[in-house]
Amino acid sequence: MGDELLNLTIDGVPVRVPKGTLVIEAAKQAGVLVPHYCYHPGLPVVGVCRMCLVEIEKAPKLQIACATQAAEGMVVRTQSPQAKSGRMGVLELLLINHPLDCPICDQAGECELQDFTFQEGRPATRYSPQYAKRFNPVEDFGPDVLYVPNRCILCTRCVRFMEDVAQEPVLNVSERGDRAYIGIHSEGRLDHPWAGNVVDLCPVGSLLSKDFLHKARAWELDKTASICTGCSQGCNVTLDTRENVVVRVRPRSNLEVNRFFICDHGRMNYRWMNRGDRIEAPLVRRGGELHATDWDEALDFVASRLRGAGGQAVALVSPKVSTEALFFARELFRGLEWSGAFQVVMGEEAPLAGVPNLALRAERAPNARGAELLGYSREYAAAVAAAETAAVVLVLDEPDIAVRTAGALIYVGTVLPERARDAQAVLPIANVAEEEGTYVNRDGRVQRYFQAKSAPGMARPAWWVFSELVATLGGGQGGGHVGTAAEAFDRLAVSVEAFRGLSYARLGFAGAPMPATAAVPA
Ligand code: SF4
Ligand code: SF4
Ligand code: FES
């Protein structure tokens, strides 16, 4: 796409777009969504469905908006009688063999065939009720994908994703005409690490996730912007919740990080957010046993242990907690001799071949970079060894904790691991789905996640717990009570050079590179 700008009008709205822009994209700038099926901005253009027909002045017949480039002075009409009648004909053709499955189809409520038929299809069929629609049985395409051929509109998005983006061409269009269907290679499976994206790309309910099958109707779901915790890539996702339970994870587009896709590891990495064995109240040790208490007593109890601590303090933290929490945990030890460390589970790297710099990363944690920036090291074994003789050991949501200490162990977490049952105090915190916060991905991009469901019992965001402790102790650059996650981030941004100038407002839904990182590549 060049620098040259072109002027055109779409449905009477003037727009200015760079040379090379497709009419369907230019229309978005005019606030017009041209109905379409085969077109997707993350896939090569093929122009096979003909759903995006529009009228272009001086053109002898209707044109497809997905394969026509904008031109200077072009006048496009998407709502003219000719354009609407052309698209109505396409819909009628698509519906000849499409079953009336909506009441039992997972896609209902978010189906583009349903939406466009409602918007501009024929009010009734011209086919006889006796017409026998095509029937093919459901096929098992892979670990998490079912293919329902009766619903397929042959847009080929799935074929193009596997061929051009995943670069593992296991799907094709088999047969021709009204017998055509999506075929899978006789020895192939949709088991590529990024194969689940075909379910999101399918505009109808033809490719379905087994994991989500019949779990919820689309209109029952609440949608929340979040960040995947599966690895250090930091893909933008949407958490779908139903009655306070996360039931599905889907990609949220971010052209700088994950374009339109997420890997299957990240997609399936949500059940732990719904765990039932959570710590629901603060616990303090009295008479040799842990007793449930309120926050006031718990915070006073922990503050008194920290006040009395002489000698070394050790913080063992999880790289899955927010940057804000890691900041206030560090501030807690200001003035003390302390060391902090985290450990990262490693796995196999799985790139998405057709998208540069997008891979399921070997480092399976979302905030290792944030932890490093705040002074925590990767020397986890050394920190565990130092904990044996430390006066205070804090462990921040570290379920694999292997610590032994003669000092005071304060455990702040979502669930209580066996090894932390010796703790002097246990403080319950929210998980990523239950709070607002930020992570820093491997490329130094700071990204926000939002609250999707409520936290159990008395659990609170970790940034709140530590900021209250800092305020109780009256120390650190994070001193004073903090009311919101945005305020917690502001304290971090004024205290830590790498975050300077950033704020929740500036990060928005897409995140931003750290000022320091922008100049120094990771
Ligand atoms: S299965 Fe879905 S994505 Fe694939 S061709 Fe059919 S309608 Fe399109
Ligand atoms: S690549 Fe990493 S961040 Fe992206 S979806 Fe997969 S696990 Fe999540
Ligand atoms: S979206 Fe344009 S032809 Fe399919």
Side-chain angles (χ1 to χ4, degrees):
M1 233 175 264
D3 295 336
E4 192 185 331
L5 290 174
L6 305 168
N7 299 290
L8 64 160
T9 335
I10 298 177
D11 290 346
V13 179
V15 287
R16 229 167 166 226
V17 295
K19 190 174 179 187
T21 303
L22 296 168
V23 169
I24 199 166
E25 290 296 332
K28 287 180 189 167
Q29 288 197 28
V32 175
L33 177 70
V34 180
H36 60 278
Y37 292 122
C38 67
Y39 176 75
H40 187 283
L43 300 174
V45 173
V46 284
V48 294
C49 76
R50 320 308 286 181
M51 187 59 207
C52 61
L53 290 170
V54 293
E55 190 185 341
I56 296 179
E57 212 170 82
K58 298 196 185 115
K61 55 183 184 170
L62 297 177
Q63 303 290 310
I64 50 173
C66 71
T68 308
Q69 290 191 0
E72 181 62 35
M74 192 180 247
V75 177
V76 181
R77 294 190 194 95
T78 72
Q79 298 301 313
S80 71
Q82 290 87 340
K84 286 173 87 167
S85 147
R87 295 200 298 267
M88 190 187 276
V90 172
L91 278 171
E92 183 175 29
L93 191 74
L94 290 174
L95 288 170
I96 290 174
N97 275 310
H98 194 88
L100 279 176
D101 268 0
C102 306
I104 53 141
C105 177
D106 265 1
Q107 192 85 359
E110 50 192 18
C111 172
E112 291 164 47
L113 187 59
Q114 207 177 40
D115 291 349
F116 294 137
T117 301
F118 181 72
Q119 187 177 302
E120 49 188 50
R122 299 185 69 83
T125 180
R126 290 191 289 179
Y127 274 72
S128 132
Q130 274 72 47
Y131 172 72
K133 295 195 177 203
R134 178 189 65 176
F135 176 80
N136 285 303
V138 173
E139 283 188 56
D140 184 351
F141 267 11
D144 189 43
V145 186
L146 287 177
Y147 175 51
V148 186
N150 301 343
R151 299 176 189 158
C152 180
I153 58 168
L154 292 159
C155 69
T156 74
R157 282 190 192 180
C158 54
V159 178
R160 281 173 285 144
F161 175 81
M162 291 311 296
E163 198 162 311
D164 297 288
V165 185
Q167 297 181 4
E168 193 175 280
V170 291
L171 300 180
N172 68 5
V173 179
S174 296
E175 293 281 3
R176 290 295 177 263
D178 70 346
R179 292 188 307 277
Y181 63 92
I182 297 302
I184 187 159
H185 190 283
S186 56
E187 287 163 20
R189 294 266 291 161
L190 275 185
D191 55 5
H192 184 277
W194 294 75
N197 289 290
V198 297
V199 174
D200 310 320
L201 289 167
C202 183
V204 296
S206 187
L207 292 171
L208 299 174
S209 157
K210 294 179 195 173
D211 180 67
F212 186 66
L213 200 64
H214 305 322
K215 255 193 197 170
R217 308 301 292 172
W219 52 88
E220 296 172 328
L221 301 175
D222 292 315
K223 297 177 185 302
T224 308
S226 192
I227 301 296
C228 176
T229 59
C231 83
S232 56
Q233 178 76 33
C235 292
N236 291 212
V237 296
T238 299
L239 297 183
D240 287 352
T241 48
R242 179 177 183 244
E243 293 174 2
N244 215 38
V245 175
V246 181
V247 292
R248 182 169 68 171
V249 179
R250 297 223 288 178
R252 183 163 60 88
S253 64
N254 186 326
L255 299 184
E256 303 293 327
V257 183
N258 53 302
R259 289 185 63 76
F260 310 95
F261 312 116
I262 56 171
C263 76
D264 290 6
H265 171 76
R267 190 183 294 274
M268 295 300 163
N269 179 33
Y270 68 88
R271 286 196 175 78
W272 61 272
M273 296 175 198
N274 302 322
R275 278 181 76 152
D277 57 344
R278 297 284 296 277
I279 318 166
E280 295 202 10
L283 308 171
V284 295
R285 188 163 296 278
R286 271 193 252 113
E289 288 186 352
L290 286 172
H291 290 272
T293 185
D294 57 29
W295 274 108
D296 286 343
E297 190 196 345
L299 292 172
D300 284 345
F301 182 95
V302 173
S304 69
R305 296 300 182 280
L306 290 169
R307 255 191 222 107
Q312 210 202 353
V314 172
L316 301 172
V317 302
S318 160
K320 272 192 179 175
V321 296
S322 70
T323 320
E324 293 82 343
L326 292 168
F327 166 68
F328 282 106
R330 185 189 86 166
E331 291 305 298
L332 206 53
F333 296 121
R334 189 165 284 276
L336 292 179
E337 185 196 335
W338 81 284
S339 59
F342 62 91
Q343 60 178 343
V344 181
V345 174
M346 301 300 281
E348 220 172 290
E349 188 122 344
L352 182 59
V355 182
N357 197 30
L358 180 55
L360 161 62
R361 301 295 175 183
E363 195 169 82
R364 303 285 210 261
N367 208 16
R369 184 81 193 266
E372 268 179 328
L373 283 163
L374 289 163
Y376 299 90
S377 84
R378 290 172 186 264
E379 306 296 325
Y380 193 77
V384 170
E388 286 187 21
T389 55
V392 182
V393 178
L394 177 81
V395 186
L396 176 48
D397 209 25
E398 178 43 281
D400 300 324
I401 178 180
V403 69
R404 283 182 200 288
T405 181
L409 172 62
I410 293 154
Y411 186 77
V412 181
T414 51
V415 293
L416 187 57
E418 197 57 41
R419 282 290 189 76
R421 288 180 191 265
D422 295 339
Q424 291 296 306
V426 175
L427 305 179
I429 55 168
N431 69 30
V432 61
E434 299 159 355
E435 63 171 20
E436 267 194 83
T438 57
Y439 289 142
V440 185
N441 83 350
R442 65 189 295 278
D443 297 318
R445 190 176 188 83
V446 188
Q447 303 189 100
R448 289 174 68 182
Y449 56 82
F450 296 75
Q451 184 176 359
K453 65 194 200 58
S454 56
M458 296 162 72
R460 294 287 177 271
W463 60 259
W464 179 86
V465 175
F466 290 117
S467 65
E468 282 299 301
L469 282 171
V470 171
T472 307
L473 290 166
Q477 291 184 40
H481 294 281
V482 177
T484 62
E487 210 182 310
F489 186 84
D490 289 345
R491 297 276 177 96
L492 155 73
V494 294
S495 310
V496 183
E497 183 63 36
F499 295 85
R500 196 140 296 162
L502 295 179
S503 66
Y504 268 19
R506 171 125 187 252
L507 296 178
F509 283 93
M514 283 186 307
T517 324
V520 187

